[in-house]
Amino acid sequence: MDKSLNMKLNRKYLADLILDKLIANKEELRKEFNQVGRINSCVIDDLLPEEVAKEIYEAYPSPEEMALHKSLRENKRIAAQMDLYNPILEEAVYAFQDDRIVKVVEEITGLKEMIPDEHLYAGGISLMSTGNFLNPHLDNSHDNGRENYRVLNLLYYVTPDWDINNGGNLELWDNGMNKSQRVIHSKFNRLALMITNKTSIHSVSKVTAIGKRCCVSNYYFSKKPAEATEYFHVTSFYGRPEEGVKNIFLRADAFLRQAVRKITGKRIVETKHIYKK
């Protein structure tokens, strides 16, 4: 990487590049996102110049430097305390929170009055290596304070030459858990936009290859829900179709956490995945 380019990799520079790409493809993305009969989603490839995307990937910390989330639900590495890592990573995360990008994403998705996740509640960076996975689930409906609806996921993949057969791909269960999932390849330099609402069940397939699948994650919130009526739910996991016993445990877990949150207004386990600036 040219040293002068490395010095330019701040959030404004990155946001300018992302904005140009989104504007140039806005109508195509809008049509793709709003296709009926499936979870609203779209992808855009070659989001940033290749050398910039590679620089973001090379800045990733080792797995051991990130928090491990390992349970029946998931097995992955994540990080939100961005000032612990290469500054390029923080700049990449917050580039997606530029007001201009939020506005054009509103035009693409039709979602209104979106608010980027300044404190990275569930956002930040993630890393998956051999054996890592994320079971099918609905994202929690609100932010940590239950003040705004969580309405959109923005997932930017940065691992060069990541083959679809390596696993670690986004899976969208368009027709529920009784039908096959739609796979979105976690392809290098690809941005995926995905609605979050009462039916947007999604997962990440198990990584089967040697290497690390890296993703820069952002979530947008809004005072308005992503559908016509109001709703509330905690993050709710499911077993895959072949995981009948596991599904029983995961559904019971979601029921318990939902009941506790409704009664007490508090989470069973306080989230630590927040950027404490």
Side-chain angles (χ1 to χ4, degrees):
M1 169 72 68
D2 183 272
K3 195 169 184 179
S4 63
L5 178 57
N6 187 44
M7 293 175 65
K8 289 181 182 178
L9 294 184
N10 57 62
R11 64 193 68 181
K12 170 65 166 57
Y13 175 78
L14 295 173
D16 288 344
L17 295 171
I18 296 168
L19 184 66
D20 288 345
K21 191 75 173 183
L22 291 176
I23 289 174
N25 294 275
K26 184 172 68 172
E27 286 308 308
E28 180 181 340
L29 293 169
R30 185 184 61 78
K31 290 176 183 177
E32 182 183 351
F33 186 87
N34 291 290
Q35 285 185 38
V36 298
R38 67 180 204 171
I39 295 168
N40 298 97
S41 58
C42 63
V43 300
I44 183 166
D45 290 328
D46 304 317
L47 183 72
L48 293 172
E50 184 175 315
E51 66 272 19
V52 173
K54 285 184 176 178
E55 187 75 3
I56 294 170
Y57 170 76
E58 293 295 337
Y60 259 70
S62 67
E64 293 73 25
E65 296 175 275
M66 302 172 70
L68 174 64
H69 280 208
K70 186 176 183 180
S71 67
L72 279 178
R73 309 171 195 160
E74 60 188 346
N75 185 353
K76 63 180 183 178
R77 299 275 182 172
I78 60 175
Q81 194 62 37
M82 301 308 301
D83 56 4
L84 296 178
Y85 308 109
N86 190 314
I88 292 173
L89 294 173
E90 179 167 350
E91 297 305 298
V93 170
Y94 282 97
F96 290 95
Q97 301 193 17
D98 186 287
D99 289 343
R100 300 167 299 160
I101 290 178
V102 176
K103 184 177 184 300
V104 75
V105 170
E106 287 179 344
E107 294 170 358
I108 290 167
T109 63
L111 298 167
K112 304 298 183 184
E113 300 175 23
M114 290 197 291
I115 306 163
D117 180 16
E118 177 188 358
H119 298 291
L120 304 185
Y121 171 60
I125 58 174
S126 68
L127 182 154
M128 287 188 168
S129 55
T130 309
N132 287 173
F133 66 90
L134 182 58
N135 254 70
H137 65 285
L138 286 175
D139 287 326
N140 47 308
S141 59
H142 288 71
D143 58 13
N144 196 38
R146 200 172 163 181
E147 297 175 353
N148 300 298
Y149 286 90
R150 180 170 172 170
V151 295
L152 190 72
N153 291 1
L154 301 91
L155 306 170
Y156 176 49
Y157 302 106
V158 296
T159 304
D161 304 315
W162 190 257
D163 190 272
I164 192 169
N165 295 313
N166 291 349
N169 300 304
L170 178 63
E171 301 173 313
L172 303 182
W173 299 80
D174 293 321
N175 299 297
M177 295 304 303
N178 295 322
K179 301 289 185 178
S180 60
Q181 69 273 41
R182 172 165 54 101
V183 177
I184 294 180
H185 178 199
S186 53
K187 183 181 177 183
F188 171 63
N189 208 7
R190 165 176 281 182
L191 173 67
L193 305 182
M194 187 203 83
I195 200 168
T196 63
N197 55 20
K198 292 192 297 184
T199 57
S200 57
I201 300 174
H202 58 289
S203 53
V204 178
S205 58
K206 182 179 287 188
V207 176
T208 58
I210 302 298
K212 56 183 185 180
R213 191 231 64 175
C214 298
C215 180
V216 176
S217 303
N218 270 275
Y219 303 92
Y220 289 173
F221 296 87
S222 176
K223 292 291 184 185
K224 299 180 179 181
E227 47 191 70
T229 58
E230 295 186 352
Y231 53 91
F232 169 74
H233 57 259
V234 298
T235 305
S236 304
F237 281 84
Y238 301 79
R240 291 178 174 273
E242 67 275 14
E243 297 175 327
V245 174
K246 185 175 182 179
N247 185 60
I248 293 172
F249 282 102
L250 291 176
R251 300 312 299 141
D253 168 72
F255 177 83
L256 175 62
R257 289 184 292 107
Q258 178 88 353
V260 170
R261 191 72 188 270
K262 280 191 172 182
I263 294 169
T264 68
K266 297 180 180 179
R267 300 164 56 100
I268 292 179
V269 178
E270 183 179 356
T271 182
K272 296 180 180 179
H273 191 81
I274 292 178
Y275 191 2
K276 298 177 181 178
K277 297 185 179 182

